């Protein structure tokens, strides 16, 4: 009897510990979602996703159609020969076309098309895919890079990111502070 | 005032900074070989080189072109004798001819990046519009020029 | 035959009245005046100083060159090489020393039959071949006679070659330049003797095109590049909805902008005149045009037009055109095919330089129609014909029929008159595509009675098409009114190449507010898209090979059979293809030429890759194989464009007004092309418009065989398909 009770108590302890662990994992997942969701919303907005495509071409417009004029990715993500991104896109918006410094596609390793929040988060943090960036460097890049910032002032009739830039930066920092959890 | 280097010559133009380079080239500098076809960079008739790279000048503000070497069709070669121009004559490429300045400038930029281009590289690079349908001869002439440039010894 | 230029000719009077009604009476109000300008430089009506004119076609220059006048507009079809070469060949000129001059508007350069100066309908060579040979021979005889007068020799002992007259027995020779003065005094022979074919050196060979060097060097001057001293530039914006009424526009900001000399109201919009185009365009962009919809603009709407066509397909009315033979039994098969509106979209947008004073009007235009332009100017300006000069620019960035219309010429002239200075009018691409005279949208019902083998024995054709001819030939109004059909829209239906015993053709002529007129292939294109698709559908229903079926239907025509047989070999018709790959065939007798075409495609999901197109053409004789081949190649791509894009309207707005929405074929989409010409004793046929006729149905037939999807209209996007 005492033997069984001790065994039962051990089992209960393990069970409790397991449940608590699972609950923490679940809580952590929920916390990751809460922290990453706003970031996910921004990164999958057409202004970002149109260049973070997994296709051999950029996308264009809120409907994300293949870029007009048969524009292609090219071997270095900067367009085909004689059709470089910079053949038409300058370092700032002009009357016709969007522009920002170093206008180009993101490399395929940073393609986010069709990724769920968890997958995108993992890819974002994967140093082999993200240009060897730490979380701190990631946050810095997304907060300050002019090409990223373009998405909030895309010019002409283009819809900017629907979250104020400051809020996005705060969301990034909050996510980083929590250990950059992934959903 | 903008200082422009066009076909190796320094020129000075007095235009607002957002005027497309195309009109500066055609109207201020009188070089009419570069053509207007659409005004939205769709057709490539306006293609010139900026430091050897193709740009579509109808959508390129003149302010972005200062401090760079601009080359137009007139400056592609001294006597219209660039290998591409010779190949264009050999293959009798042009029909109406209006798109051809842009075609040649695009092709020259292609060959600079890919001296022996594959079909796929030609297909990706040469998006210029031609209503007369000279595309098959454009492709053949590019290959001919690549061959000629490959075998030529200066 | 009385000339159309003769005021006493009743046909001329009708042409003038009709054109005045259509084209005259455009008025412009003046808001600001500008400085007058002096014009220097003459048109090429008179020979340059020192040049000797032997005939209207042949001059000898002080530089000892033979200068030949080119009557036809060089649009890219190579006519400025081929026609002068025919003359030079007959004359015996050294082709390397020939200089070419663009013809002014003059009686001698008019179409010999129609007495009207124009370039179109793929008939320049057919129409001017005899003129070129005769004028070459005439000049040869004049020069030879002049030489023989010097030598006291017999003309029968002389030959001309390399710009010399040579006396064969003594080997003496004299250069044309040294004979010109004497030769010019001699009468022009009215019935010169032509060389035997064996002596021709240029005709039949692929010649280096005379315009190619300028077009690869950037030196070619197109209309848009043309300039005269003191010239201003005009940018225009007409109301963006077809047929809408301008209610107001505010030009306050525009008038104050740098370089702007005038802002002028147009009947349907506004013109800004400035020193530079970029100044005019910038100022124009600040002007907002307010407009009101009208009945015309509301009906310039694809949904409205298509609904109208559907109603007519159901209920008519139909004007009878042709009825012959017997319709036995019951109809076996019926289908309705549709072709959409298409834009010319020449690479060079519409433009024109005009200099109008109180005394004179002079224009320099990339035009295909000098006579109609001159007539329209007479009525728009109220000026006598002898005070009007219509000069054609030597290079024209594509025509396809658009430049037969005089609208942009008249607009330029009216603006010049209003500002009192020479003006270059330049349309931007949006203006060009919104103010087009579109290839009309048409719908064609075909009904066949068949025999026991599925072959058609009788065919009923019911065609709905707006006018093609009216804007370029106003007198056709009489036919439209009295007979209810447009002859050009009926091309390809009135004379079927196939032997079919019973035939009825009926027509419905909608009067649309959308302007329509001639565009490369005219009526043949849409009608043969339908007919060649229909024949294929009949073949499929009868479980017959489409080529074999056509051979049977063409059994009476050995030339057609020869074309089909060559086509079968070259296209490897009988060779099986793997799943998803298929060949489609189309045959046409169009513009005097027989053409058979096979398109080989790969259909995968919703993409169509055109792998290979084979074309065999019989245009009688091929005068320049290189140029003819280029015409077929280019036409295949032009045909693909008809399959790729269309123009649609919404309450007057043109939904496709630049190349971003009117997407043209890319080099990457172009197929391998195999092209062969067969010679025959058929009369000379035209080559420029035939391959865009057969490409769309060959493609549709191939897509069906590859995928099971039958498309009865173009473009492919209507059916969820696209080119790869």
């Amino acid at each position: 009897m005492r033997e069984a009770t001790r065994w039962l108590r051990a089992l209960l302890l393990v069970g409790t510990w397991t449940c608590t662990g699972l609950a923490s994992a679940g809580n952590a997942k929920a916390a990751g979602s809460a922290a990453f969701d706003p970031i996910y919303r921004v990164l999958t907005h057409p202004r970002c996703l149109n260049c973070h495509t997994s296709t051999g071409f950029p996308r264009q417009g809120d409907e994300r159609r293949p870029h007009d004029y048969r524009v292609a990715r090219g071997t270095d993500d900067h367009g085909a020969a004689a059709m470089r991104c910079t053949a038409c896109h300058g370092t700032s918006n002009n009357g016709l076309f969007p522009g920002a410094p170093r206008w180009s596609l993101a490399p395929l390793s940073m393609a986010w098309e069709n990724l769920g929040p968890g997958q995108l988060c993992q890819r974002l943090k994967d140093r082999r895919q993200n240009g060897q960036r730490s979380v701190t460097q990631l946050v810095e890049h997304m907060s300050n890079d002019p090409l990223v910032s373009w998405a909030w002032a895309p010019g002409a009739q283009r819809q900017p990111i629907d979250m104020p830039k400051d809020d996005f930066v705060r969301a990034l920092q909050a996510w980083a502070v929590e250990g950059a959890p992934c959903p | 005032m903008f200082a422009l280097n066009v076909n190796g010559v320094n020129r000075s133009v007095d235009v607002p900074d957002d005027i497309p380079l195309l009109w500066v080239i055609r109207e201020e500098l009188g070089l009419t070989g570069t053509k207007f076809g659409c005004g939205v960079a769709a057709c490539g008739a306006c293609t010139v080189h900026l430091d050897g790279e193709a740009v579509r000048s109808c959508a390129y503000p003149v302010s972005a072109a200062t401090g760079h070497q601009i080359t137009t069709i007139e400056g592609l070669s001294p006597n219209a004798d660039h290998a591409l121009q010779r190949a264009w004559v050999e293959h009798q490429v042009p029909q109406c001819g209006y798109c051809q300045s842009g075609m040649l400038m695009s092709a020259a930029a292609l060959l600079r990046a890919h001296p022996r281009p594959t079909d796929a590289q030609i297909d990706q690079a040469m998006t210029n519009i031609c209503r007369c349908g000279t595309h098959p001869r454009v492709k053949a002439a590019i290959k001919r020029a690549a061959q000629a440039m490959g075998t030529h010894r200066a | 035959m009385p000339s159309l230029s003769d005021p006493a000719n009743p046909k001329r009077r009708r042409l003038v009245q009709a054109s005045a009604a259509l084209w005259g009476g455009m008025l412009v109000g003046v808001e600001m005046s500008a400085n007058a300008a002096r014009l220097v430089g003459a048109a090429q009506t008179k020979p340059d100083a020192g040049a000797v004119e032997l005939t209207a076609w042949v001059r000898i220059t002080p530089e000892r060159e033979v200068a030949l006048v080119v009557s036809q507009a060089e649009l890219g079809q190579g006519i400025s090489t081929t026609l002068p070469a025919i003359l030079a060949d007959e004359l015996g000129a050294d082709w390397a020393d020939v200089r070419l001059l663009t013809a002014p508007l003059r009686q001698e350069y008019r179409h010999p039959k129609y007495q009207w100066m124009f370039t179109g309908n793929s008939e320049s060579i057919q129409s001017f071949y005899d003129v070129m040979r005769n004028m070459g021979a005439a000049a040869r005889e004049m020069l030879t006679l002049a030489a023989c007068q010097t030598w006291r020799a017999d003309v029968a002992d002389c030959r001309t070659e390399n710009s010399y007259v040579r006396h064969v027995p003594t080997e003496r020779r004299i250069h044309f330049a040294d004979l010109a003065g004497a030769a010019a005094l001699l009468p022009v022979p009215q019935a010169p003797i032509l060389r035997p074919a064996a002596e021709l050196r240029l005709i039949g060979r692929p010649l280096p095109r005379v315009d190619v060097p300028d077009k690869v060097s950037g030196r070619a001057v197109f209309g848009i590049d043309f300039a005269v001293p003191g010239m201003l530039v005009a940018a225009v914006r007409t109301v963006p909805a077809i047929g809408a009424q301008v209610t107001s526009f505010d030009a306050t900001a525009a008038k104050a902008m740098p370089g702007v000399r005038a802002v002028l109201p147009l009947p349907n919009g506004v013109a800004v005149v400035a020193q530079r185009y970029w100044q005019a365009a910038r100022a124009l962009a600040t002007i907002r045009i307010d407009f009101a919809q009208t009945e015309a603009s509301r009906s310039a709407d694809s949904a409205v037009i298509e609904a109208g066509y559907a109603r007519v397909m159901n209920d008519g009315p139909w004007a009878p055109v042709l009825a012959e033979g017997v319709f036995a039994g019951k109809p076996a098969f019926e289908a309705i095919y549709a072709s959409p509106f298409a834009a010319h979209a020449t690479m060079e947008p519409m433009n024109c330089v005009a200099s109008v004073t109180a005394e004179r009007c002079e224009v320099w235009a990339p035009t295909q129609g000098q006579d109609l332009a001159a007539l329209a100017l007479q009525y728009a300006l109220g000026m006598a014909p002898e005070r009007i000069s219509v000069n054609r620019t030597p290079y024209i960035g594509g025509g396809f029929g658009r430049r037969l219309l005089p609208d942009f010429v008249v607009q330029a002239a009216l603006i010049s008159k209003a500002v009192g200075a020479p003006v270059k009018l330049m349309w931007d691409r949006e203006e060009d595509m919104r103010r087009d005279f579109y290839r009309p949208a048409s719908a064609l019902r075909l009904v066949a009675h068949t025999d026991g083998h599925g072959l058609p024995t009788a065919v009923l054709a019911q065609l709905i098409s707006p006018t093609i001819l009216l804007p370029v030939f106003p007198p056709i109004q009489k036919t439209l009114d009295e007979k209810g059909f447009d002859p050009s829209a009926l091309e390809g239906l009135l004379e079927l190449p196939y032997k079919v015993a019973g035939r009825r053709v009926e027509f419905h002529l909608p009067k649309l507010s959308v302007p329509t007129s001639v565009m490369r292939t005219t009526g043949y294109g849409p009608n043969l898209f339908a007919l060649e698709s229909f024949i294929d559908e009949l073949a499929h229903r009868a479980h017959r090979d489409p080529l074999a079926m056509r051979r049977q239907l063409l059994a009476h025509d050995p030339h057609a059979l020869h074309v089909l047989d060559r086509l079968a070999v070259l296209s490897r018709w009988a060779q099986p293809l793997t799943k998803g790959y298929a060949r489609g065939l189309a045959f046409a007798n169009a513009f005097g030429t027989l053409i058979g075409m096979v398109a080989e495609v790969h259909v995968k999901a919703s993409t169509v890759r055109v792998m290979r197109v084979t074309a065999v053409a019989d245009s009688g004789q091929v005068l320049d194989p290189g140029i003819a081949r280029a015409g077929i190649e280019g036409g295949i791509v032009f045909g693909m464009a008809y399959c790729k894009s269309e123009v649609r309207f919404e309450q007057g707005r043109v939904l496709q007004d630049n190349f971003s929405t009117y997407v043209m074929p890319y080099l990457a989409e172009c197929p391998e092309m195999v092209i062969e010409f067969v010679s025959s004793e058929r009369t000379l046929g035209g080559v420029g418009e035939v391959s865009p006729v057969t490409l769309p149905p060959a493609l549709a037939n191939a897509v069906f065989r590859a995928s099971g999807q039958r498309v009865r209209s173009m473009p492919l996007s209507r059916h969820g398909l696209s080119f790869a």
Side-chain angles (χ1 to χ4, degrees):
Chain A
M1 193 54 187
R2 231 180 244 140
E3 188 86 15
T5 318
R6 224 190 347 233
W7 182 86
L8 197 56
R9 229 181 280 144
L11 196 60
L12 281 167
L13 265 168
V14 168
T16 315
W17 175 82
T18 310
C19 286
T20 314
L22 279 171
S24 329
N27 285 339
K29 203 171 172 66
S33 273
F36 191 71
D37 273 353
I39 301 168
Y40 182 73
R41 257 180 56 210
V42 171
L43 298 192
T44 54
H45 186 282
R47 296 290 83 71
C48 299
L49 212 48
N50 282 350
C51 292
H52 280 269
T53 67
S54 55
T55 48
F57 49 85
R59 292 187 180 277
Q60 187 174 352
D62 289 340
E63 76 277 28
R64 307 198 53 243
R65 68 182 187 274
H67 192 300
D68 291 347
Y69 314 163
R70 213 170 193 274
V71 167
R73 176 181 285 275
T75 47
D76 62 357
D77 308 316
H78 286 250
M83 279 291 283
R84 307 294 280 162
C85 307
T86 48
C88 301
H89 291 281
T91 53
S92 61
N93 299 329
N94 67 33
L96 279 173
F97 300 145
R102 291 171 299 122
W103 191 273
S104 67
L105 281 177
L108 286 167
S109 63
M110 299 175 201
W112 300 331
E113 264 184 317
N114 303 315
L115 294 184
Q119 295 165 305
L120 200 162
C121 180
Q122 300 290 358
R123 175 149 320 177
L124 197 61
K125 288 167 60 180
D126 182 348
R127 293 183 77 120
R128 291 164 306 173
Q129 310 255 52
N130 72 8
Q132 287 299 324
R133 289 181 170 95
S134 65
V135 169
T136 311
Q137 287 167 324
L138 270 177
V139 170
E140 201 281 327
H141 172 70
M142 288 192 276
S143 304
N144 297 319
D145 182 271
L147 188 50
V148 175
S149 301
W150 166 85
W152 278 265
Q157 313 285 1
R158 287 175 278 275
Q159 290 297 318
I161 305 291
D162 48 2
M163 172 192 305
K165 178 87 189 295
D166 292 342
D167 289 357
F168 177 62
V169 171
R170 271 192 290 275
L172 283 170
Q173 289 164 346
W175 174 69
V177 155
E178 286 187 45
C182 282
Chain B
M1 292 294 283
F2 289 100
L4 297 175
N5 182 285
V6 181
N7 298 331
V9 177
N10 288 320
R11 311 286 298 263
S12 195
V13 293
D14 186 10
V15 295
D17 59 6
D18 60 343
I19 297 304
L21 181 60
L22 172 66
W23 299 112
V24 175
I25 289 171
R26 287 182 57 84
E27 296 195 291
E28 303 307 313
L29 304 180
L31 296 167
T32 57
T34 310
K35 304 302 186 199
F36 170 77
C38 70
V40 297
C43 76
C46 66
T47 305
V48 299
H49 293 173
L50 220 74
D51 303 326
E53 295 268 19
V55 302
R56 296 198 165 175
S57 64
C58 75
Y60 213 83
V62 64
S63 53
T66 58
H68 297 281
Q69 308 253 25
I70 301 164
T71 315
T72 69
I73 182 69
E74 293 90 344
L76 182 63
S77 64
N79 294 305
D81 53 0
H82 189 286
L84 281 166
Q85 288 165 309
R86 286 200 223 254
W88 248 239
V89 172
E90 191 183 313
H91 282 264
Q92 297 280 285
V93 174
Q95 290 189 28
C96 89
Y98 194 78
C99 75
Q100 298 295 335
S101 299
M103 283 282 188
L104 283 159
M105 297 308 280
S106 295
L110 165 64
L111 289 183
R112 200 161 167 268
H114 303 294
R116 303 304 289 265
T118 61
D119 278 345
Q121 285 166 337
I122 296 173
D123 285 352
Q124 277 207 342
M126 301 300 296
T127 62
N128 305 55
I129 299 177
C130 167
R131 282 295 270 149
C132 300
T134 65
H135 311 79
R137 293 194 185 208
V138 165
K139 192 169 201 171
I142 288 172
K143 292 181 180 176
R144 177 71 186 101
Q147 187 187 51
M149 288 165 84
T151 55
H152 174 73
R153 295 284 177 266
Chain C
M1 165 174 178
S3 155
L4 259 180
S5 56
D6 176 358
N9 181 351
K11 275 195 177 162
R12 162 88 184 175
R13 275 204 293 276
R14 275 200 295 280
L15 171 62
V16 159
Q17 274 158 17
S19 302
L22 198 67
W23 289 112
M26 289 166 68
L27 297 169
V28 169
V30 180
E31 286 210 353
M32 285 166 62
S33 65
N35 297 326
R38 272 190 312 281
L39 192 59
V40 298
Q44 284 144 339
T45 320
K46 297 193 217 11
D48 300 333
V52 177
E53 184 174 303
L54 293 184
T55 67
W57 296 93
V58 182
R59 303 170 191 180
I60 311 293
T61 72
E63 293 77 29
R64 305 174 71 78
E65 300 154 315
V66 174
L68 303 179
V69 174
V70 180
S71 66
Q72 300 308 95
E74 175 57 68
L75 308 170
Q77 83 285 48
I79 204 68
S80 63
T81 296
T82 307
L83 282 179
I86 296 168
L87 196 161
D89 209 358
E90 186 64 55
L91 168 56
D94 181 355
W95 183 238
D97 259 347
V98 165
R99 220 180 84 199
L100 299 176
L101 306 172
T102 305
L105 175 52
R106 232 170 85 173
Q107 171 53 29
E108 294 88 338
Y109 309 124
R110 291 191 160 114
H111 187 293
K113 198 167 80 181
Y114 309 140
Q115 289 296 297
W116 194 242
M117 192 165 179
F118 79 99
T119 305
N121 205 37
S122 290
E123 61 170 290
S124 288
I125 290 185
Q126 290 160 274
S127 309
F128 283 90
Y129 180 81
D130 288 341
V131 176
M132 293 293 97
R133 298 261 337 237
N134 281 313
M135 295 313 299
R140 167 167 44 74
E141 289 185 359
M142 290 161 78
L143 290 160
T144 303
L145 186 56
C148 287
Q149 285 173 345
T150 307
W151 291 324
R152 296 190 208 292
D154 192 339
V155 298
D157 291 332
C158 295
R159 296 282 177 272
T160 56
E161 64 214 2
N162 298 322
S163 299
Y164 282 91
V165 179
R166 180 165 69 95
H167 184 244
V168 178
T170 60
E171 284 302 320
R172 286 177 292 176
R173 55 182 207 161
I174 310 182
H175 192 275
F176 288 175
D178 299 318
L179 296 163
L185 300 174
L186 298 170
V188 179
Q190 293 306 299
I193 305 198
L194 304 184
R195 286 178 191 271
E199 282 187 29
L200 296 169
R201 299 271 169 272
L202 299 176
I203 296 173
R205 274 180 42 203
L207 296 179
R209 293 171 60 148
V210 301
D211 50 339
V212 159
D214 279 349
K215 289 173 177 177
V216 305
S217 67
R219 277 198 303 265
V221 173
F222 294 83
I224 203 174
D225 307 317
F226 194 82
V228 297
M231 185 181 82
L232 299 172
V233 184
V236 305
R237 182 66 70 221
T238 50
V239 65
I242 293 173
Q245 188 112 47
V246 175
T247 49
S248 66
F249 65 82
D250 183 0
T252 327
K255 285 186 201 173
M257 287 178 71
V260 172
R261 301 288 288 276
V263 177
L264 308 167
L266 298 171
N268 56 348
V270 61
V272 175
V273 183
Q275 295 281 150
R276 296 277 190 262
Y277 177 75
W278 62 262
Q279 291 170 330
R282 256 177 140 217
L284 189 66
T286 65
I287 302 178
R288 192 192 68 210
I289 298 176
D290 292 321
F291 62 93
Q293 291 280 358
T294 63
E295 196 187 307
S297 61
R298 276 188 286 269
S299 64
D301 183 291
S302 288
V304 169
I305 292 169
E306 281 161 11
Y309 283 23
R311 267 195 306 277
V312 171
M313 274 300 174
N314 276 338
D315 308 325
W318 300 106
V321 181
L322 177 79
E324 63 185 29
V326 178
F327 276 66
K330 290 204 304 281
F333 180 63
E334 163 180 332
I336 296 176
Y337 302 87
S339 288
F341 291 100
H344 294 80
T346 55
M347 286 314 297
E348 179 189 9
M350 297 306 116
N351 61 78
C352 176
V353 176
S355 177
V356 178
T357 63
E359 295 81 40
R360 285 199 56 80
C361 165
E362 194 142 19
V363 305
W364 296 264
T367 177
Q368 293 174 246
Q370 279 162 268
D371 255 311
L372 186 59
L375 195 60
L377 286 169
Q378 279 173 54
Y379 282 85
L381 299 173
M383 227 184 230
E386 56 273 12
R387 301 208 274 138
I388 295 178
S389 227
V390 176
N391 305 296
R392 188 183 70 220
T393 56
Y395 295 119
I396 299 174
F400 314 135
R402 179 59 178 91
R403 300 197 214 253
L404 285 166
L405 286 306
D407 56 328
F408 56 95
V409 176
V410 171
Q411 193 183 67
L414 290 173
I415 294 171
S416 170
K417 177 178 173 178
V419 298
V423 167
K424 175 156 68 180
L425 167 71
M426 285 166 54
W427 287 6
D428 63 11
R429 179 56 62 186
E430 285 80 8
E431 196 62 25
D432 181 276
M433 291 194 64
R434 291 173 191 170
R435 295 288 85 86
D436 199 357
F437 283 74
Y438 305 93
R439 183 184 78 163
S442 63
L444 177 55
R445 168 189 279 127
L446 291 170
V447 183
H449 293 229
T450 57
D451 64 13
H453 306 285
L455 281 172
T457 54
V459 174
L460 162 67
Q462 290 178 316
L463 173 64
I464 303 172
S465 176
T467 186
I468 289 179
L469 287 176
L470 182 62
V472 291
F473 189 61
I476 205 73
Q477 185 75 66
K478 191 161 186 290
T479 308
L480 300 181
D481 290 341
E482 291 173 7
K483 304 244 179 91
F485 63 74
D486 179 303
S488 179
L490 280 166
E491 286 164 339
L493 288 180
L494 292 181
E495 281 143 25
L496 296 187
Y498 306 117
K499 216 161 189 65
V500 177
R503 299 214 297 123
R504 263 186 19 238
V505 179
E506 298 173 351
F507 196 98
H508 181 92
L509 181 79
K511 297 210 171 65
L512 302 182
S513 51
V514 173
T516 56
S517 196
V518 293
M519 181 168 168
R520 192 176 184 188
T521 75
T522 46
Y524 286 110
N527 293 339
L528 294 179
F529 168 72
L531 183 67
E532 288 300 298
S533 300
F534 189 65
I535 298 287
D536 238 57
E537 293 205 56
L538 289 176
H540 180 70
R541 293 168 66 82
H543 308 288
R544 301 205 56 192
D545 174 271
L547 185 80
M549 176 139 140
R550 282 180 178 78
R551 283 195 98 263
Q552 206 172 345
L553 290 169
L554 291 164
H556 58 285
D557 186 343
H559 294 125
L561 289 178
H562 183 45
V563 165
L564 283 180
D565 290 342
R566 278 306 291 154
L567 182 66
V569 170
L570 286 176
S571 68
R572 305 187 287 239
W573 179 260
Q575 249 184 49
L577 291 166
T578 51
K579 188 164 152 59
Y581 291 79
R583 297 185 190 93
L585 163 68
F587 177 83
N589 181 347
F591 302 100
T593 292
L594 300 179
I595 180 164
M597 183 175 285
V598 169
E600 190 177 302
V601 305
H602 179 205
V603 181
K604 191 165 140 184
S606 63
T607 63
V608 177
R609 169 108 186 99
V610 188
M611 311 289 304
R612 190 174 193 261
V613 172
T614 310
V616 176
D618 176 354
S619 61
Q621 217 192 327
V622 177
L623 301 185
D624 188 317
I627 288 174
R629 170 174 300 267
I632 300 290
E633 288 170 4
I636 289 169
V637 182
F638 202 85
M640 287 176 68
Y642 278 137
C643 300
K644 189 167 182 184
S645 289
E646 63 173 312
V647 179
R648 297 187 68 80
F649 308 93
E650 202 172 88
Q651 302 281 289
R653 280 189 190 272
V654 178
L655 299 180
Q656 286 77 21
D657 63 1
N658 209 319
F659 290 121
S660 18
T661 41
Y662 195 69
V663 188
M664 293 286 91
Y666 292 111
L667 184 150
E669 295 167 337
C670 291
E672 180 199 343
M673 297 180 191
V674 175
I675 293 160
E676 184 176 286
F677 288 91
V678 299
S679 324
S680 74
E681 64 281 7
R682 286 169 54 87
T683 38
L684 270 179
V687 156
E689 293 177 79
V690 297
S691 54
V693 169
T694 44
L695 188 287
L699 179 69
N701 292 337
V703 167
F704 175 71
R705 293 210 172 244
S707 69
Q709 187 178 4
R710 167 57 66 179
V711 301
R712 292 191 180 145
S713 63
M714 288 295 178
L716 292 171
S717 51
R718 287 192 181 194
H719 310 281
L721 298 169
S722 60
F723 282 127

